[in-house]
């Protein structure tokens, strides 16, 4: 298949592009490079011996996207592009809604104009909000607790309404838990610009000396050690889930929602200690205030993805932090030369 | 105050412009005239002896709106513009999200650029969805059952996130119940293009012979006579609520949500019979299938608006249908010559 990957130069995007190329798909990447580097795609080319075509286009450039879709005629889209920092979203809501929601509406219009009607969308477990019941199943009502989460919720609403209005659309909503790790080669990985907003990249930057200490946002949650518990998933497992979801909707049509997580939860301090073991040193941390919009505990029921897609996460937390460390230590400044 | 009214040539818009002018405000109307006529504003000028300035600008023209706001420098916005047909929204979701949500994001960007940070937004009781408890209070979680309703829900989310991020915004979310009636002069009123999507304008067109019969969407709801029960509110009461809400946020700041309804519910057949009495003839109707997204019963708890704004609806259902009929019989083809 010929597949357009928005945000394909980013963290999850680049790992997915790699798996798509290895599986024999033709890949076109569309990315504005706001929080990513084209270098990731050069390395994907090195690793696979195949090239993804690259276009620097922004989701807010509605006309540019239309032209691109008419020119490239992709058969399907995997839509990663978007803003993703919970804290930032609380202070800049209009920017988040515009980029994520209006951006996706522009993308869907471009797809429709080019008669490309298959999309795999990067949703997030954050749409679940703070339900009492765990694990999280796809049946739980959405109730995001942050602006970022609400942008994901809104896009899901849009795609559900679109699917209900026109059965020729094939739609997969993938609710990611917390992607960590890197390709086992250590050549591609997460390279956030500025201060990392996610736990493991922050720990990794502490481990290479780019940050002094880890800020742990709250240790008074009702969890094993008071720190927030999350379901972490290896980015290569996550990438694999996208390929399986795309295959499924291409064959079966319709709209489907799948959790992509391991089903296991680890606390911030448990992840920190696992990383310390992987890198062989103690890593300093400080307890600071909770972040607005964060919930105490969140882990997936990944059984739908297993049942429908035959997919389950293959890599455990040790592998995740080992691979993340492997990437970070050989690329202490990410993709920067 | 100098007030920009989006959708100000429309049904609720024109009645609100009239009340604003009578109250001594300076009014600028922005409308794309997609479902409204500039004639309404000429008649408002006749009735008030004052002119609202008119600009034909679309919500999707982000640059045009920015220029307009910089040029006009309004102090506040009353935002009516948007698409509003439940059935149509189910078949054209992308158009609805783009117009209503992206349109509002464009408006907010234009407001921010001109440092205009007070907005009264036309939300809808449809955001409540289908809760068991009646009457509907503002505390009930949103759970819209239609794409149209979700566009209102999304805009409310955006405005709440905006208000939380920046306390210099003054925001009123007005959840309308079902506006009917017309100005008592009979010179302005509801003039839907095409087939009316709301009950009373449809009945009114049957009464003047423009439609053969009323389609009643379902008579198997669990209500007094099987037809859907709604809280109808006179459009002049509704317009008055906007002025009071605007005064309140200008004085007190913050974000506030108020139901605007009477607190009384009437069934479709009860409204039909009230209209028959007003126009003095029997009106034919047929029972047809339920519309997707419609709920059985919906009526307001309007006590918050009374407590905060000193507002309550003054006009009963007889006055509503009398005034609606008065408008329709003297303008059988609406604003068309």
């Amino acid at each position: 298949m010929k597949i357009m990957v928005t945000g394909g130069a980013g963290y999850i995007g680049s790992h997915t592009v790699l798996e798509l190329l290895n599986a024999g798909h033709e890949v076109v990447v569309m990315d504005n490079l706001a929080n990513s580097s084209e270098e990731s795609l050069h390395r994907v080319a090195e690793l696979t011996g195949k090239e993804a075509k690259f276009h620097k286009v922004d989701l807010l450039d509605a006309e540019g996207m239309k032209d691109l879709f008419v020119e490239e005629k992709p058969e399907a889209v995997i839509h990663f592009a978007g803003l993703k920092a919970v804290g930032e979203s609380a202070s800049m809501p209009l920017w988040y809604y515009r980029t994520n929601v209006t951006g996706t509406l522009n993308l869907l219009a471009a797809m429709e104009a080019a008669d490309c009607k298959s999309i795999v969308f990067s949703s997030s477990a954050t749409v679940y909000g703070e339900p009492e019941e765990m694990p999280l199943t796809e049946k739980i009502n959405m109730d995001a607790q942050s602006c970022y989460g609400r942008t994901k919720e809104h896009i899901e609403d849009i795609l559900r309404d679109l699917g209900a209005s026109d059965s020729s659309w094939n739609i997969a909503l993938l609710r990611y838990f917390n992607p960590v790790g890197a390709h086992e080669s250590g050549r591609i990985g997460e390279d956030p610009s500025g201060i990392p907003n996610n736990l493991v990249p922050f720990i990794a930057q502490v481990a290479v000396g780019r940050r002094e200490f880890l800020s742990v946002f709250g240790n008074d949650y009702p969890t094993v050690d008071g720190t927030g518990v999350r379901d972490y998933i290896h980015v290569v497992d996550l990438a694999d889930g996208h390929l399986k979801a795309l295959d499924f909707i291409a064959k079966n049509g319709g709209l489907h929602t799948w959790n992509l997580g391991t089903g296991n939860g680890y606390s911030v301090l448990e992840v920190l200690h696992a990383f310390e073991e992987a890198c062989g040193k103690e890593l300093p941390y400080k307890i600071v205030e909770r972040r607005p919009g964060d919930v105490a505990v969140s882990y997936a029921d990944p059984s739908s993805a297993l049942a429908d897609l035959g997919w389950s996460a293959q890599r455990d937390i040790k592998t995740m932090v080992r691979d993340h460390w492997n990437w970070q230590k050989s690329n202490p400044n990410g993709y920067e030369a």
Side-chain angles (χ1 to χ4, degrees), chain A residues 208-273:
Chain A
V208 292
R210 278 175 70 184
R211 308 273 161 204
E212 231 182 303
F213 58 87
L214 171 70
S215 296
V216 177
F217 298 103
N219 68 345
D220 54 353
Y221 287 105
T223 63
V224 53
D225 54 22
T227 64
V229 166
R230 294 290 180 276
D231 183 332
Y232 296 91
I233 175 170
H234 196 292
V235 66
V236 176
D237 282 326
L238 194 59
D240 181 44
H242 287 73
L243 272 70
K244 293 207 161 73
L246 187 59
D247 279 353
F248 185 96
I249 61 169
K251 277 191 196 102
N252 301 283
L255 181 142
H256 308 271
T257 309
W258 292 294
N259 284 337
L260 295 184
T262 63
N264 301 309
Y266 294 94
S267 77
V268 172
L269 293 180
E270 286 171 338
V271 173
L272 179 71
H273 298 326

Side-chain angles (χ1 to χ4, degrees), chain A residues 4 28 30 55 57-58 61-74 106-107 109-111 113-114:
Chain A
M4 174 77 76
V28 181
M30 191 198 103
H55 297 274
V57 175
D58 194 286
D61 176 7
E63 290 312 307
M65 264 201 294
K66 271 199 182 143
D67 293 345
L68 182 60
F69 272 78
V70 167
E71 180 194 332
E72 291 287 358
K73 297 183 187 57
N106 290 343
L107 173 67
M111 290 176 68

Side-chain angles (χ1 to χ4, degrees), chain A residues 155-304:
Chain A
I155 296 167
E156 284 206 13
D157 279 342
I158 291 167
L159 288 167
R160 264 187 297 273
D161 281 328
L162 179 61
S165 74
D166 178 353
S167 61
S168 65
W169 279 87
N170 309 320
I171 300 170
L173 308 175
L174 302 185
R175 294 179 178 164
Y176 304 163
F177 284 69
N178 296 267
V180 299
H183 189 257
E184 60 177 0
S185 67
R187 293 293 291 156
I188 59 172
E190 184 163 14
D191 179 25
S193 56
I195 301 168
N197 284 288
N198 296 315
L199 176 63
V200 176
F202 203 108
I203 294 176
Q205 292 194 1
V206 174
V208 292
R210 278 175 70 184
R211 308 273 161 204
E212 231 182 303
F213 58 87
L214 171 70
S215 296
V216 177
F217 298 103
N219 68 345
D220 54 353
Y221 287 105
T223 63
V224 53
D225 54 22
T227 64
V229 166
R230 294 290 180 276
D231 183 332
Y232 296 91
I233 175 170
H234 196 292
V235 66
V236 176
D237 282 326
L238 194 59
D240 181 44
H242 287 73
L243 272 70
K244 293 207 161 73
L246 187 59
D247 279 353
F248 185 96
I249 61 169
K251 277 191 196 102
N252 301 283
L255 181 142
H256 308 271
T257 309
W258 292 294
N259 284 337
L260 295 184
T262 63
N264 301 309
Y266 294 94
S267 77
V268 172
L269 293 180
E270 286 171 338
V271 173
L272 179 71
H273 298 326
F275 206 101
E276 287 177 327
E277 219 165 289
C279 71
K281 51 186 161 187
E282 214 171 297
L283 301 172
Y285 69 91
K286 284 187 191 170
I287 306 293
V288 299
E289 283 208 353
R290 293 180 176 199
R291 290 187 300 194
D294 273 356
V295 298
V297 175
S298 166
Y299 60 95
D301 175 346
S303 59
S304 288

